[in-house]
Amino acid sequence: MYQLDIVLKKGNNLAIRDRTGTSDPYVKFKIAGKEVFRSKTIHKNLNPVWDERVSLLVETLRDPLYVKVFDYDFGLQDDFMGSAYLHLESLEHQRTLDVTLDLKDPQYPENNLGSLDLAVTLSPKEGEMRDATMLLRRNWKRSSKYQSMRLSDVHRKAQLWRGIVSISLIEGRSLQPMDNNGLSDPYVKFRLGHQKYKSKTIPKTLNPQWREQFDFHLYDEQGGFVDITVWDKDAGKKDDFMGRCSIDLSLLSKEHTHKLDLPLEEGEGVLVLLATLTASAAVSISDLSVNMLDDPHERHQIMQRYNVWRSFHNLKDVGVVQVKVIRAEGLMAADVTGKSDPFCVVELSNDRLQTHTVYKNLNPEWNKVFTFNVKDIHSVLEVTVYDEDRDRSADFLGKVVIPLLNIQNGERKAYALKSKELTGPTKGVIFLEIDVIFNAVKAGLRTLIPIEQKYIEEEPKVSKQLLLRNFNRVRRCIMFLINTGCYINSCFEWDSPQRSICAFVFFVIVVWNFELYMIPLALLLPLAWNYILIASGKDTRQDVQAMEDLLEDEDEDFDKDDKDSERKGFMNKLYAIQDVCISVQNALDEVASYGERIKNTFNWTVPFLSWLAIVALGVATTIIYFIPLRYIVLAWGVNKFTKKLRDPYTIDNNELLDFLSRVPSDVQVVQYRELKLDPNPSPNKRKKNNPG
C-alpha cells in the first residue's frame, strides 16, 4: 500500500474550447479506470491556478495515474482538452518531485494542448494496512457519527448553491448603429460561470426597451462577475459585436435591489439594469441513510413551513421536492464490451445534480437522495441516464420526465426509460421514490407570473417533420373551430327542427336576461361537465392517442432530417430562408400549443390547473355580479394608465398567458405520460425504439 500526495498547481497555455477564445478547465485523475479526484472549475482562463491537494491510497504502482482535462459546458457537453499519464513506478519514494505533464489528444498527437504543473510525493505505507483500510472505508461509507448528525446540518454542508442573483434588463440608451439604415437590432447575452441567458431581439432601434428578468444561481460566497455583451442581430451572417460590460457581485449588498447604469466598453451607449442578491437554500444531495423527509422532526418542520397560514410569506418558496434515485435495470449496452458506465442526472428547471458513475454495469445501484426547492409547482422533473466515456461526451441511455403535480408521495416506482425525443421507449427502467410538499396558495399565485426561463439551449434547426407536425396541430385546432361554427350554423339552417327550436328558445332567454357574470359562468359549465364525465369513468381527452401515434411515426425520420438541415446550415445562401422557416415553425408551434392548452384546461388534463380555473372563474363571477361593470372598467383603466407612473421599471406580463403556459400541450401530455412496463418486449420492437 502506498500513499500518493499530489498538488495540482496550475495549467499552462491550455486549449481554447469556447467561442470567446477561452475555456473553463477542470482536471480529473483516474487510476485503473476509476475516477479518484476531480478539481474545481476555473472559468474563462487558459492559465488556471488550482493549488489543490489530494492524498490517494494505491495498492500497486503498475497502474499509471491518468490525468484528463476538460472544458466545462452546462448540459453534459464538456469538451476534451487533453490527457497525460504519470507512471508511478518512475517516482522516487518519500521525495517531492515537481512534474510537468504535456497534454495530448490521442486522436491528434501532433497538436500542442498545453501542460499541467504538479508536485508529487510517493510514500510506502508498510505496517499501516489496517489504518489504510479504515481510511478507505471512511472515504466510501458514512460513519455512525455522520449518520447521527442532524439532517439540517448535513444538508447545510451539502449545499450546492448559496443564493439567487435576479437581473432585470430594463433598457439600452444611445447604442451604436450597426446597420446601413443607421439603426441596430440589439440583443444581450449574460453569463455567470456556466450559466448563460440571451434576451429577445428588439428590431431597428438604438434605445431598446427589453424589460426582461433572468435568475442566476450564486455558487461562490464571494460573489463573482456577471459578463454582459450586446450584439446586433444580422440575418444570413455573423452577428455584430456592440459592446460589453460586467457586474461585480461582491460590491452589491444582499436583499436589496440595485439600479445600475452600465456604460458599454468597446462600444457606445449605456445599459440600464436592476440587480438583486437573495440568499437561498435550494438544492442538496446525500445518501439514502441521510435524508430530511424520513426524519419525523425535519418533515414536521417542512410541513409547518408550507402550511396554509404561511401562504403569503416568501411567495417564491413554493415547496420542496425530494428525489430518491434507487437503481436502474436492463440498461442499453453502450460500450463494445457489452456493458455501460451509467450515471444519472436529475434536473428541475435550472437546478441540475448528478450521481456517481457505476462502472461496467447494466443494473447500477446509486441510492442517492436529491433535494430541490420548488419555485413553480408546474415544473417538470427530468431524470436522464448517461454512459460515461473517456475523452468524449457522455452517451444517452434513456430519460423520463415527470410533472411535479403527477407525483404520488412516498411511492417507490419503476419508470420505463424513453428515447431522446420522449415519444417512444428505449431499453431499461429506473426506480425512483419522490416526495413533493408545497403550498397550494403560493403555487396558485405563482401560476400568474412569468415562467422561469431555462439556460440557453442549442440553436433551432429547420425540420421538415417538425414543420409538418406543427401544421397538422394548427389544422386540428382550426378544424375544431370550423366544426363548431358549422354546428352553430346548422341551427340557423334548421337542419334539425328540434335542435333549432331549442337553440332559439335558449338564445331568447339568454339575451333577454343577459348579465355579464354569465360569461365566466358559461366557461365554468364545460369544466364542470368534463369533470363529471371523468369522475364517471369517461375520459374526454381523446386527442392524446392521436398525437401519440403521430409522434411515433416521426421518430424514425428525425435523425435523417437533422443531417439534412446540418448540410444546409453550411450554405450561406440558405441562411435567410432558414430564419424564415424557423420563425414560421415556431409560430405554428406557439399557436397550436395555446389552442391545445385551452382545450386541456377544460379537459382536466392537469386537475390542479382546472381547480385553479374554477376558483378564478368563480371569483370573477362573484365580483362581476356584485360590482357594476363601469366601476370595474374604470379601475382597470386607472391601473393601466398609472402603472408606469407608479413603477417606471415594471415588467409587463399577461396573467392569462402565464396561466396557459403551465398547461401542457398535447405533445407534452404524450411526453409526460408514463410507459407501461413490458416484461418481455419483442426483439423487433426493441430494435425499432432504441436510439442510434
Side-chain angles (χ1 to χ4, degrees), residues 165 190-195 216-218 223-227 249:
V165 183
F190 298 88
R191 175 167 179 160
L192 176 61
H194 65 273
Q195 305 169 78
F216 294 91
H217 294 159
L218 188 60
F225 288 87
V226 179
D227 297 318
L249 299 178

Side-chain angles (χ1 to χ4, degrees), residues 326-364:
I326 311 298
R327 68 183 190 276
E329 293 181 356
L331 296 180
M332 183 172 54
D335 299 337
V336 293
T337 59
K339 299 289 185 179
S340 293
D341 303 322
F343 64 96
C344 184
V345 176
V346 183
E347 296 177 83
L348 183 66
S349 298
N350 286 320
D351 299 332
R352 175 180 170 274
L353 298 173
Q354 76 178 50
T355 68
H356 60 281
T357 302
V358 180
Y359 293 96
K360 295 182 173 58
N361 203 321
L362 300 181
N363 302 287

Side-chain angles (χ1 to χ4, degrees), residues 282-339:
V283 294
S284 65
I285 179 172
S286 65
D287 289 334
L288 281 181
S289 58
V290 182
N291 64 87
M292 60 182 182
L293 293 185
D294 287 351
D295 185 331
H297 177 71
E298 295 277 343
R299 190 180 187 95
H300 177 73
Q301 285 187 338
I302 292 176
M303 295 293 291
Q304 291 295 320
R305 180 170 146 197
Y306 296 110
N307 65 24
V308 68
W309 303 112
R310 296 175 59 85
S311 297
F312 298 97
H313 177 75
N314 192 5
L315 292 178
K316 290 186 177 181
D317 185 15
V318 174
V320 64
V321 57
Q322 177 180 275
V323 185
K324 295 181 182 178
V325 182
I326 311 298
R327 68 183 190 276
E329 293 181 356
L331 296 180
M332 183 172 54
D335 299 337
V336 293
T337 59
K339 299 289 185 179

Side-chain angles (χ1 to χ4, degrees), residues 2 223 280 326 446 524 552:
Y2 297 85
S280 177
I326 311 298
R446 186 71 175 84
L524 283 171
E552 287 180 353

